[in-house]
Amino acid sequence: MEDLKPLFSDACCEPLYIAGPCSAESREQLLAAARGVAAAEVSVLRAGVWKPRTKPGSFEGIGSKALEWLAEAKREYGLRVITEVATPEHLEQVLKAGLDGVWIGARTTTNPFAMQQIADALRGVDNAVIVKNPVIPDVDLWVGAIERIYNSGIRRLAAVHRGFGTHQTTPYRNAPHWSVPIELHRRIPTMSILSDPSHIGGRRDLVAQLSQQALDLGFSGLMIECHPRPEEALSDAAQQITPDTLSKLIATLKLRRTPAGNDALGDFRLHIDTIDSRIIELLAERMDVAREIGEYKRQHGMAVVQHDRYNELLLAAEAKAEAMSISKKFVNQIFSAIHEESVRQQLDVGKE
Ligand code: PEP
Ligand code: MN
């Protein structure tokens, strides 16, 4: 995808920040959010109008009426304005309202039929299209969705990493699996990838740390949920931040590294960071299994530490290390530490 264009015709710079409420709730709320976003010097406003909610009966968005408020925010504050679309009908209304672009949500990206319908409806359009990752960590599905949009002629195209649904215990609402967007970058190096710390964290106290982590990993920007009164939000109340917090966050973010691809050291570090993320994700997965084993042992009255099993595990790890030319001692130390933590996790199961 060598011929991609900037997401917005007059937008230039990295990092690109997009901010705004999860949902447009009222004219007053949306304009207050827009004012705050503009005051934080963020040039792109996001606000959901049709909300894909997990459970029926939750607030499902105001619908097309809210597009008027978004158009007003654009005029009033000189912002670029985007919203989520899930069907060709949504898209038609957004284009009619004169908005600058759309994003496609995680649930929609997961469905190739829905993606193709939207892609077909996008033919001849020059607006920005942002494709959030699918709910599952499947890079091919994400690339496929992006290719459908590209093949319909869209060149103002970017991706947003919003984390992945998981049954593992993580501190996050959606597990980041950083290696997935990094693989997407490897496959489509010319496309900007932003990160959405709000949907990854699910909690406002995690937004700053996840934002910095994304910039450190070379993401091109951030999409952050921002609401004038977050506690009163009709959707995603726990993860939205005030415009004031947004301003302070942006002022404290450190742009440490040249974006990936611009220098060799940056590329090597990015690669190392990806591997480290994978190691941590694998450790978390291992601890999940350890807790399941702990539960099994507890139910069957078995002791937590089985010495034969531990010895076997260490010997196998050492043999493998030797075959791969890494020090046996080093691997022994690592596996001893991993085993110790597994035992601790299994003992915790007994205490719950
Ligand atoms: C959103 O951005 O508010 C949203 C619903 O996004 P996602 O598709 O990431 O859940
Ligand atoms: Mn949201």
Side-chain angles (χ1 to χ4, degrees):
M1 300 190 188
E2 298 297 330
D3 56 348
L4 290 181
K5 299 198 268 189
L7 206 45
F8 301 103
S9 55
D10 58 356
C12 55
C13 27
E14 284 201 5
L16 175 67
Y17 296 123
I18 300 176
C22 179
S23 307
E25 298 168 0
S26 67
R27 176 173 175 271
E28 178 273 328
Q29 171 257 10
L30 198 261
L31 292 179
R35 195 178 321 119
V37 163
E41 294 185 21
V42 168
S43 56
V44 188
L45 175 73
R46 60 146 285 154
V49 163
W50 299 281
K51 299 302 298 178
R53 304 309 299 280
T54 303
K55 294 201 178 81
S58 312
F59 172 66
E60 290 186 325
I62 297 285
S64 49
K65 166 96 190 111
L67 294 174
E68 291 166 23
W69 311 331
L70 269 63
E72 187 176 347
K74 176 176 161 66
R75 285 193 305 274
E76 189 70 18
Y77 298 105
L79 293 160
R80 298 296 193 162
V81 180
I82 63 170
T83 193
E84 173 168 348
V85 295
T87 66
E89 293 73 31
H90 292 163
L91 178 71
E92 193 188 322
Q93 295 185 62
V94 169
L95 296 176
K96 210 151 80 192
L99 302 193
D100 301 281
V102 296
W103 80 83
I104 294 160
R107 293 159 192 80
T108 310
T109 307
T110 308
N111 180 344
F113 289 125
M115 283 310 301
Q116 192 55 53
Q117 284 181 349
I118 297 172
D120 291 343
L122 278 165
R123 283 200 180 280
V125 167
D126 191 37
N127 298 46
V129 178
I130 298 176
V131 183
K132 285 193 157 197
N133 64 254
V135 178
I136 52 169
D138 180 341
V139 77
D140 291 320
L141 194 55
W142 198 1
V143 170
I146 291 163
E147 282 174 354
R148 286 177 200 275
I149 302 292
Y150 180 84
N151 290 345
S152 70
I154 292 291
R155 294 295 176 266
R156 302 193 188 280
L157 186 54
V160 166
H161 161 240
R162 50 76 82 194
F164 303 88
T166 178
H167 293 299
Q168 286 174 12
T169 334
T170 78
Y172 309 113
R173 177 179 177 196
N174 290 294
H177 296 308
W178 298 102
S179 53
V180 178
I182 289 170
E183 172 60 15
L184 178 69
H185 176 66
R186 200 186 61 77
R187 301 242 198 129
I188 316 180
T190 51
M191 183 185 62
S192 295
I193 308 179
L194 318 186
S195 191
D196 171 346
S198 310
H199 286 90
I200 294 174
R203 285 172 21 198
R204 57 186 136 267
D205 62 318
L206 293 174
V207 169
Q209 161 207 327
L210 285 163
S211 299
Q212 187 62 59
Q213 204 171 349
L215 295 184
D216 290 349
L217 283 170
F219 281 78
S220 306
L222 300 168
M223 181 191 266
I224 299 178
E225 285 194 340
C226 168
H227 189 291
R229 290 178 303 280
E231 321 72 46
E232 293 169 25
L234 299 180
S235 57
D236 291 351
Q239 70 195 31
Q240 307 206 51
I241 59 174
T242 61
D244 197 38
T245 308
L246 176 70
S247 273
K248 292 191 181 118
L249 167 65
I250 289 177
T252 51
L253 287 173
K254 293 186 190 68
L255 312 179
R256 290 201 189 101
R257 195 176 289 166
T258 47
N262 285 6
D263 77 357
L265 186 61
D267 274 0
F268 285 133
R269 285 178 172 161
L270 198 55
H271 195 179
I272 287 274
D273 291 347
T274 321
I275 295 170
D276 287 351
S277 301
R278 271 165 46 207
I279 292 175
I280 293 171
E281 286 163 17
L282 282 172
L283 284 173
E285 202 176 320
R286 194 187 191 285
M287 293 308 154
D288 274 351
V289 179
R291 279 193 297 276
E292 282 172 31
I293 294 179
E295 182 57 33
Y296 180 91
K297 288 180 181 164
R298 193 179 66 81
Q299 282 173 8
H300 293 79
M302 293 164 73
V304 163
V305 182
Q306 317 258 309
H307 287 285
D308 292 351
R309 164 83 183 133
Y310 178 42
N311 281 335
E312 261 172 40
L313 184 151
L314 275 184
L315 286 175
E318 284 177 7
K320 189 153 195 179
E322 199 165 28
M324 299 184 87
S325 309
I326 11 180
S327 140
K328 271 164 66 172
K329 183 165 165 241
F330 164 67
V331 167
N332 181 301
Q333 283 169 342
I334 289 178
F335 274 84
S336 302
I338 291 176
H339 186 258
E340 194 179 316
E341 176 61 12
S342 277
V343 169
R344 205 185 59 72
Q345 299 262 357
Q346 292 187 32
L347 288 171
D348 274 358
V349 169
K351 282 193 216 130
E352 276 157 13

Short mmCIF file of all heavy atoms in Angstrom, two decimals, residues 3-35:
data_model
loop_
_atom_site.label_atom_id
_atom_site.label_comp_id
_atom_site.label_asym_id
_atom_site.label_seq_id
_atom_site.Cartn_x
_atom_site.Cartn_y
_atom_site.Cartn_z
N ASP A 3 0.67 3.84 -1.91
CA ASP A 3 0.06 5.12 -2.30
C ASP A 3 -0.92 5.67 -1.26
O ASP A 3 -1.79 6.46 -1.60
CB ASP A 3 -0.65 4.95 -3.66
CG ASP A 3 -1.68 3.83 -3.64
OD1 ASP A 3 -1.69 3.04 -2.67
OD2 ASP A 3 -2.47 3.74 -4.60
N LEU A 4 -0.78 5.27 0.00
CA LEU A 4 -1.67 5.81 1.03
C LEU A 4 -1.43 7.30 1.20
O LEU A 4 -0.31 7.79 1.03
CB LEU A 4 -1.46 5.09 2.37
CG LEU A 4 -1.95 3.64 2.43
CD1 LEU A 4 -1.69 3.04 3.82
CD2 LEU A 4 -3.42 3.55 2.07
N LYS A 5 -2.49 8.03 1.57
CA LYS A 5 -2.39 9.48 1.76
C LYS A 5 -2.54 9.78 3.25
O LYS A 5 -2.98 8.92 4.02
CB LYS A 5 -3.53 10.18 0.99
CG LYS A 5 -3.48 9.93 -0.51
CD LYS A 5 -4.32 10.96 -1.26
CE LYS A 5 -5.74 10.49 -1.48
NZ LYS A 5 -6.57 11.29 -2.35
N PRO A 6 -2.21 11.02 3.67
CA PRO A 6 -2.47 11.35 5.09
C PRO A 6 -3.95 11.15 5.39
O PRO A 6 -4.80 11.29 4.51
CB PRO A 6 -2.11 12.83 5.19
CG PRO A 6 -1.30 13.13 3.98
CD PRO A 6 -1.68 12.14 2.92
N LEU A 7 -4.24 10.85 6.64
CA LEU A 7 -5.62 10.53 7.03
C LEU A 7 -6.56 11.69 6.72
O LEU A 7 -7.69 11.49 6.27
CB LEU A 7 -5.63 10.20 8.53
CG LEU A 7 -6.72 9.30 9.06
CD1 LEU A 7 -6.95 8.07 8.19
CD2 LEU A 7 -6.39 8.88 10.49
N PHE A 8 -6.08 12.90 6.97
CA PHE A 8 -6.90 14.08 6.65
C PHE A 8 -6.05 14.98 5.76
O PHE A 8 -4.83 15.06 5.96
CB PHE A 8 -7.28 14.82 7.94
CG PHE A 8 -8.05 13.93 8.88
CD1 PHE A 8 -7.43 13.39 9.99
CD2 PHE A 8 -9.38 13.63 8.64
CE1 PHE A 8 -8.13 12.55 10.85
CE2 PHE A 8 -10.09 12.79 9.49
CZ PHE A 8 -9.46 12.25 10.60
N SER A 9 -6.70 15.68 4.82
CA SER A 9 -5.92 16.38 3.80
C SER A 9 -4.95 17.40 4.42
O SER A 9 -3.86 17.58 3.94
CB SER A 9 -6.84 17.04 2.79
OG SER A 9 -7.76 17.87 3.48
N ASP A 10 -5.35 18.07 5.52
CA ASP A 10 -4.46 19.11 6.05
C ASP A 10 -3.72 18.65 7.31
O ASP A 10 -3.05 19.43 7.95
CB ASP A 10 -5.25 20.38 6.34
CG ASP A 10 -6.38 20.12 7.31
OD1 ASP A 10 -6.57 18.95 7.68
OD2 ASP A 10 -7.07 21.08 7.69
N ALA A 11 -3.91 17.40 7.69
CA ALA A 11 -3.24 16.95 8.92
C ALA A 11 -1.84 16.50 8.55
O ALA A 11 -1.62 15.93 7.50
CB ALA A 11 -4.00 15.80 9.55
N CYS A 12 -0.90 16.82 9.41
CA CYS A 12 0.46 16.59 8.99
C CYS A 12 1.20 15.65 9.91
O CYS A 12 1.88 14.75 9.52
CB CYS A 12 1.19 17.91 8.99
SG CYS A 12 1.03 18.69 10.61
N CYS A 13 0.95 15.83 11.20
CA CYS A 13 2.06 15.44 12.06
C CYS A 13 1.78 14.22 12.92
O CYS A 13 0.63 13.85 13.15
CB CYS A 13 2.39 16.60 12.97
SG CYS A 13 0.97 17.63 13.24
N GLU A 14 2.85 13.63 13.33
CA GLU A 14 2.79 12.54 14.30
C GLU A 14 3.28 13.07 15.63
O GLU A 14 4.17 13.91 15.63
CB GLU A 14 3.69 11.39 13.85
CG GLU A 14 3.08 10.60 12.75
CD GLU A 14 3.68 9.19 12.63
OE1 GLU A 14 4.51 8.81 13.48
OE2 GLU A 14 3.31 8.50 11.68
N PRO A 15 2.81 12.60 16.75
CA PRO A 15 1.68 11.68 16.81
C PRO A 15 0.36 12.38 16.51
O PRO A 15 0.20 13.56 16.79
CB PRO A 15 1.71 11.21 18.27
CG PRO A 15 2.50 12.21 19.03
CD PRO A 15 3.38 12.90 18.07
N LEU A 16 -0.56 11.61 15.94
CA LEU A 16 -1.90 12.13 15.67
C LEU A 16 -2.79 11.75 16.86
O LEU A 16 -2.87 10.58 17.22
CB LEU A 16 -2.46 11.49 14.40
CG LEU A 16 -3.91 11.85 14.07
CD1 LEU A 16 -4.05 13.32 13.70
CD2 LEU A 16 -4.43 10.99 12.91
N TYR A 17 -3.41 12.75 17.46
CA TYR A 17 -4.31 12.47 18.57
C TYR A 17 -5.76 12.64 18.11
O TYR A 17 -6.09 13.62 17.44
CB TYR A 17 -4.04 13.42 19.74
CG TYR A 17 -2.65 13.25 20.35
CD1 TYR A 17 -1.77 14.33 20.42
CD2 TYR A 17 -2.24 12.01 20.83
CE1 TYR A 17 -0.50 14.17 20.97
CE2 TYR A 17 -0.97 11.85 21.37
CZ TYR A 17 -0.10 12.93 21.43
OH TYR A 17 1.14 12.77 21.97
N ILE A 18 -6.57 11.67 18.53
CA ILE A 18 -8.01 11.73 18.28
C ILE A 18 -8.65 11.58 19.65
O ILE A 18 -8.26 10.70 20.42
CB ILE A 18 -8.46 10.55 17.38
CG1 ILE A 18 -7.75 10.60 16.03
CG2 ILE A 18 -9.97 10.53 17.21
CD1 ILE A 18 -8.05 9.42 15.10
N ALA A 19 -9.60 12.45 20.00
CA ALA A 19 -10.22 12.32 21.32
C ALA A 19 -11.67 12.74 21.25
O ALA A 19 -12.09 13.47 20.35
CB ALA A 19 -9.46 13.17 22.34
N GLY A 20 -12.43 12.26 22.23
CA GLY A 20 -13.84 12.62 22.30
C GLY A 20 -14.60 11.57 23.06
O GLY A 20 -14.03 10.54 23.44
N PRO A 21 -15.88 11.80 23.28
CA PRO A 21 -16.64 10.88 24.11
C PRO A 21 -16.88 9.53 23.44
O PRO A 21 -16.90 9.45 22.21
CB PRO A 21 -17.96 11.61 24.33
CG PRO A 21 -18.09 12.52 23.16
CD PRO A 21 -16.69 12.92 22.77
N CYS A 22 -17.08 8.52 24.26
CA CYS A 22 -17.48 7.22 23.72
C CYS A 22 -18.71 7.45 22.85
O CYS A 22 -18.72 7.09 21.69
CB CYS A 22 -17.78 6.26 24.87
SG CYS A 22 -18.29 4.64 24.28
N SER A 23 -19.73 8.11 23.42
CA SER A 23 -20.97 8.36 22.69
C SER A 23 -21.33 9.84 22.73
O SER A 23 -21.13 10.50 23.75
CB SER A 23 -22.14 7.63 23.34
OG SER A 23 -21.85 6.27 23.52
N ALA A 24 -21.94 10.31 21.65
CA ALA A 24 -22.61 11.62 21.69
C ALA A 24 -23.91 11.40 22.46
O ALA A 24 -24.71 10.52 22.10
CB ALA A 24 -22.89 12.10 20.28
N GLU A 25 -24.10 12.15 23.54
CA GLU A 25 -25.27 11.89 24.41
C GLU A 25 -26.31 13.01 24.31
O GLU A 25 -27.51 12.76 24.40
CB GLU A 25 -24.80 11.75 25.85
CG GLU A 25 -23.85 10.57 26.03
CD GLU A 25 -23.14 10.57 27.37
OE1 GLU A 25 -23.38 11.47 28.19
OE2 GLU A 25 -22.34 9.64 27.60
N SER A 26 -25.84 14.23 24.19
CA SER A 26 -26.75 15.37 24.04
C SER A 26 -25.94 16.45 23.32
O SER A 26 -24.71 16.39 23.27
CB SER A 26 -27.20 15.89 25.41
OG SER A 26 -26.08 16.45 26.09
N ARG A 27 -26.65 17.46 22.81
CA ARG A 27 -25.95 18.54 22.11
C ARG A 27 -24.98 19.23 23.08
O ARG A 27 -23.82 19.48 22.76
CB ARG A 27 -26.99 19.53 21.56
CG ARG A 27 -26.40 20.73 20.89
CD ARG A 27 -27.45 21.59 20.21
NE ARG A 27 -26.83 22.80 19.69
CZ ARG A 27 -26.70 23.93 20.39
NH1 ARG A 27 -27.18 24.02 21.62
NH2 ARG A 27 -26.09 24.98 19.85
N GLU A 28 -25.47 19.47 24.27
CA GLU A 28 -24.67 20.17 25.28
C GLU A 28 -23.41 19.37 25.62
O GLU A 28 -22.29 19.90 25.65
CB GLU A 28 -25.59 20.41 26.50
CG GLU A 28 -24.97 21.09 27.70
CD GLU A 28 -24.31 20.12 28.67
OE1 GLU A 28 -24.79 18.96 28.79
OE2 GLU A 28 -23.30 20.50 29.28
N GLN A 29 -23.60 18.07 25.87
CA GLN A 29 -22.44 17.22 26.22
C GLN A 29 -21.42 17.16 25.08
O GLN A 29 -20.22 17.27 25.28
CB GLN A 29 -22.94 15.80 26.57
CG GLN A 29 -21.85 14.74 26.75
CD GLN A 29 -21.71 13.80 25.53
OE1 GLN A 29 -22.29 14.04 24.48
NE2 GLN A 29 -20.92 12.76 25.70
N LEU A 30 -21.93 17.02 23.85
CA LEU A 30 -21.01 16.85 22.71
C LEU A 30 -20.23 18.15 22.47
O LEU A 30 -19.01 18.12 22.25
CB LEU A 30 -21.82 16.45 21.48
CG LEU A 30 -21.11 15.82 20.29
CD1 LEU A 30 -20.83 16.81 19.19
CD2 LEU A 30 -19.85 15.02 20.63
N LEU A 31 -20.94 19.30 22.57
CA LEU A 31 -20.23 20.56 22.32
C LEU A 31 -19.22 20.85 23.44
O LEU A 31 -18.13 21.37 23.19
CB LEU A 31 -21.22 21.72 22.15
CG LEU A 31 -22.07 21.63 20.86
CD1 LEU A 31 -23.05 22.79 20.78
CD2 LEU A 31 -21.20 21.58 19.61
N ALA A 32 -19.57 20.46 24.68
CA ALA A 32 -18.61 20.65 25.78
C ALA A 32 -17.38 19.77 25.55
O ALA A 32 -16.23 20.20 25.76
CB ALA A 32 -19.27 20.30 27.12
N ALA A 33 -17.61 18.54 25.10
CA ALA A 33 -16.48 17.64 24.81
C ALA A 33 -15.61 18.23 23.69
O ALA A 33 -14.38 18.27 23.79
CB ALA A 33 -16.99 16.26 24.42
N ALA A 34 -16.27 18.74 22.65
CA ALA A 34 -15.54 19.29 21.50
C ALA A 34 -14.70 20.49 21.93
O ALA A 34 -13.53 20.63 21.54
CB ALA A 34 -16.52 19.69 20.40
N ARG A 35 -15.30 21.35 22.78
CA ARG A 35 -14.58 22.52 23.27
C ARG A 35 -13.32 22.07 24.03
O ARG A 35 -12.23 22.59 23.85
CB ARG A 35 -15.50 23.33 24.20
CG ARG A 35 -15.02 24.73 24.51
CD ARG A 35 -16.03 25.50 25.40
NE ARG A 35 -17.42 25.24 25.06
CZ ARG A 35 -18.34 24.69 25.88
NH1 ARG A 35 -18.02 24.34 27.11
NH2 ARG A 35 -19.57 24.48 25.47
#
